[in-house]
Amino acid sequence: MPRAKSDKDRKIFVLDTSVILYAHNSIMNFAEHDVVIPITVLEELDQFKKGNDTKNFEAREFIRLLDKLSQDQRIDQWTPLNGKTKGNFKVMMNHPENERNAIEIFGEEKNDHKILNVAVHLQETEKSRKVILVSKDINLRLKAKSLNVHAEDYETGKIKNITELENTGKYVMESVDPDAINKLYEQGYIEAKLVLGTRKRKSNAYYILKSDKNSVLAFYNSEENVLERVDKRLAYNIKPKNAEQTFALHAIMNPAIKLVSIQGVAGTGKTLLALAGALEQRREYKQVFLARPIVPLSNKDIGYLPGDIKSKLNPYMEPLWDNLKFIQNQYKETDKEYQKITELVNQEKLVIQPLAYIRGRSLSNIFFIVDEAQNLTPHEIKTIISRAGENTKIIFTGDVFQIDTPYLDSQSNGLSYLIDRVKDHPLYAHIKLEKGERSELANLANELL
């Protein structure tokens, strides 16, 4: 972005709390434009600074950053942000004396309306400059627009085109030479150029190759530059039911692939396949972790639920236990495989916990499955992966269109961010599961309701 030529060209961005909790360094990402932090935002951050969740980390880091930037200066006056290409920032008090008072208009003295009043005040006093409220709260943006205040989402880290993610991971090729497919069946691999020609090849991509006589499933091994045949295989007695599930299990079981993401709607078998693959490879790892973020109902903290911490968390972890029970019930109670799962749980070789309980741990020699990854921020995804040590494999599963966190959407959640940023890396594979396999009734819900 070219530097503005004058103060008139420099915009004023008013940041909402949701932006800072999403990314504590967001204040540094507005080029040469000026940034205003309403005092109400600091008050809200003060409530978030205690705790071990990512939002608590972001709140603490932002407060430290503000202290570092302000140094000995008053924060209610314009203070330069670091760097010649940056603008200034300041903290502003509430302004209920505006001509348009959000508290009076909306009939309630709440923090959102105080933040709106700051934006309105700037609009009325800085008439030569464009004032923009930045929030990840869509309801606040709508309220701002009703007051004729320009409002935008925080776009940094947001995927520009979600439809491009639909094409990642699997490719279907028609009219393939039948002899090439026969060769794949006979020797298990074939030179990639004999099938793909000059087509661009992505690392760890999966192919459905079809001719007028036969078809085959294949995997592109970029290190050897060959296509390898992919066969359906059992993992702890769980058998893939379609091509996409076969690809997903292949990626889960491939020791050369250290990072896997599996996207799909409810009932496509994402978590089940990941857990079955982990159990099949249990001897290769010290522990298997299966975790998911806690997103309380109506976005209330779990503290409002009755009972001790275990009973509070059970409703959130139960779907993961259901998958484990489903795998275990493939066997009789007298079978050693059935008893082995019970033994793994009792010895804590297989651990099912909320993601917050696992943060901060060293992830060495661990098979780590993160369920419902679409409810994580890009920063949380990065934090998890950056903790991976030797012989660790991480599987992220989720549906980028089923967001339960208020300030994330299909383009800004961590799973979308991961798929977009890491695609075509030799350590990474992505598969989209398309067909629901839970039941015909579940498919009806996904397709028609």
Side-chain angles (χ1 to χ4, degrees):
M1 185 183 293
R3 183 158 179 85
K5 296 177 181 179
S6 65
D7 282 348
K8 185 178 178 180
D9 296 319
R10 284 167 47 216
K11 302 170 185 175
I12 299 176
F13 289 97
V14 180
L15 300 197
D16 173 37
T17 312
S18 61
V19 175
I20 292 161
L21 293 179
Y22 179 79
H24 71 269
N25 61 345
S26 53
I27 192 174
M28 306 298 293
N29 293 328
F30 292 91
E32 77 278 9
H33 305 291
D34 295 333
V35 178
V36 167
I37 310 296
I39 189 64
T40 304
V41 168
L42 287 187
E43 292 169 353
E44 288 190 323
L45 290 174
D46 191 54
Q47 298 172 15
F48 282 109
K49 67 183 182 183
K50 292 181 181 178
N52 297 319
D53 208 348
T54 300
K55 63 186 177 185
N56 309 122
F57 165 82
E58 298 291 348
R60 291 192 294 268
E61 286 299 300
F62 178 78
I63 292 167
R64 293 189 187 103
L65 177 61
L66 213 61
D67 181 57
K68 181 181 177 182
L69 290 171
S70 59
Q71 297 180 351
D72 298 328
Q73 301 180 65
R74 289 174 51 180
I75 59 173
D76 62 340
Q77 297 179 345
W78 287 118
T79 302
L81 291 162
N82 287 347
K84 294 180 180 180
T85 60
K86 304 292 183 185
N88 305 305
F89 82 94
K90 71 175 176 178
V91 174
M92 280 191 67
M93 304 298 148
N94 300 319
H95 288 278
E97 73 279 3
N98 299 330
E99 292 180 15
R100 292 165 290 153
N101 185 347
I103 294 173
E104 291 181 359
I105 292 170
F106 295 114
E108 189 177 357
E109 187 173 350
K110 57 189 296 187
N111 288 340
D112 281 1
H113 301 157
K114 293 176 183 178
I115 293 168
L116 279 173
N117 272 341
V118 169
V120 169
H121 178 78
L122 285 166
Q123 212 178 42
E124 292 177 355
T125 56
E126 300 279 355
K127 295 185 182 296
S128 64
R129 300 179 67 183
K130 186 171 184 178
V131 177
I132 301 169
L133 175 66
V134 183
S135 175
K136 298 203 70 63
D137 184 344
I138 190 169
N139 195 48
L140 181 57
R141 298 202 301 268
L142 289 172
K143 284 184 175 181
K145 290 174 183 177
S146 72
L147 293 175
N148 200 29
V149 173
H150 189 88
E152 295 179 357
D153 191 1
Y154 180 68
E155 299 286 345
T156 302
K158 195 164 185 174
I159 307 306
K160 298 302 179 187
N161 188 357
I162 191 70
T163 57
E164 288 184 1
L165 301 185
E166 301 291 298
N167 302 321
T168 303
K170 183 201 79 174
Y171 304 90
V172 179
M173 289 183 61
E174 308 278 356
S175 303
V176 176
D177 184 351
D179 292 337
I181 293 178
N182 288 335
K183 193 172 183 180
L184 261 171
Y185 274 114
E186 290 167 5
Q187 64 182 33
Y189 67 94
I190 190 173
E191 288 183 64
K193 66 180 181 181
L194 297 178
V195 177
L196 303 180
T198 58
R199 290 181 179 86
K200 185 178 179 181
R201 303 161 197 176
K202 294 187 176 180
S203 295
N204 303 326
Y206 288 90
Y207 291 87
I208 300 177
L209 306 176
K210 298 180 179 180
S211 73
D212 55 354
K213 296 180 180 178
N214 50 9
S215 63
V216 69
L217 305 181
F219 164 74
Y220 175 58
N221 183 331
S222 57
E223 188 172 337
E224 303 289 336
N225 199 22
V226 297
L227 285 172
E228 300 173 350
R229 190 181 75 245
V230 176
D231 296 320
K232 284 188 178 181
R233 59 178 296 186
L234 288 175
Y236 228 82
N237 218 29
I238 297 298
K239 185 178 182 180
K241 293 186 176 181
N242 55 52
E244 291 77 24
Q245 284 195 354
T246 303
F247 293 151
L249 190 57
H250 180 276
I252 292 164
M253 301 284 287
N254 188 337
I257 300 174
K258 301 297 185 182
L259 179 63
V260 179
S261 61
I262 306 174
Q263 147 76 10
V265 299
T268 49
K270 307 179 294 294
T271 311
L272 182 66
L273 289 169
L275 183 52
L279 289 170
E280 189 70 25
Q281 300 173 86
R282 65 191 181 279
R283 296 181 185 88
E284 309 298 323
Y285 300 91
K286 182 177 68 178
Q287 276 183 310
V288 174
F289 279 157
L290 181 55
R292 64 176 356 197
I294 294 176
V295 184
L297 295 174
S298 302
N299 303 303
K300 294 179 182 177
D301 187 82
I302 64 169
Y304 80 97
L305 291 171
D308 59 16
I309 189 65
K310 186 175 180 181
S311 60
K312 289 173 188 286
L313 294 174
N314 274 345
Y316 303 103
M317 297 299 107
E318 202 61 41
L320 304 184
W321 288 109
D322 287 344
N323 279 283
L324 184 62
K325 291 171 189 172
F326 182 88
I327 294 172
Q328 193 172 31
N329 289 333
Q330 302 301 302
Y331 302 93
K332 297 177 183 178
E333 290 187 24
T334 54
D335 290 344
K336 63 178 182 180
E337 292 87 355
Y338 186 102
Q339 295 169 359
K340 187 62 181 178
I341 290 179
T342 302
E343 182 184 317
L344 289 170
V345 173
N346 291 339
Q347 295 179 353
E348 294 192 347
K349 298 288 186 182
L350 172 61
V351 181
I352 297 180
Q353 283 186 340
L355 189 59
Y357 282 32
I358 293 172
R359 282 199 190 94
R361 296 188 62 167
S362 175
L363 300 179
S364 295
N365 201 23
I366 285 172
F367 194 104
F368 192 18
I369 302 167
V370 182
D371 194 35
E372 302 289 351
Q374 77 279 1
N375 288 321
L376 298 173
T377 66
H379 178 78
E380 288 176 302
I381 293 280
K382 180 179 178 181
T383 300
I384 292 167
I385 298 173
S386 65
R387 300 202 65 84
E390 286 298 317
N391 193 36
T392 285
K393 183 158 184 164
I394 304 178
I395 315 291
F396 290 100
T397 71
D399 179 6
V400 298
F401 299 105
Q402 186 63 50
I403 310 294
D404 301 311
T405 305
Y407 303 136
L408 298 177
D409 57 32
S410 61
Q411 293 173 272
S412 64
N413 72 85
L415 184 57
S416 293
Y417 180 83
L418 172 71
I419 298 167
D420 181 68
R421 293 299 179 94
V422 192
K423 60 189 177 187
D424 200 27
H425 193 284
L427 291 180
Y428 171 72
H430 169 71
I431 290 297
K432 181 189 175 188
L433 301 183
E434 299 172 4
K435 186 179 179 183
E437 297 290 356
R438 184 174 289 168
S439 69
E440 290 183 1
L441 188 57
N443 291 344
L444 178 150
N446 287 325
E447 293 169 8
L448 300 178
L449 299 182

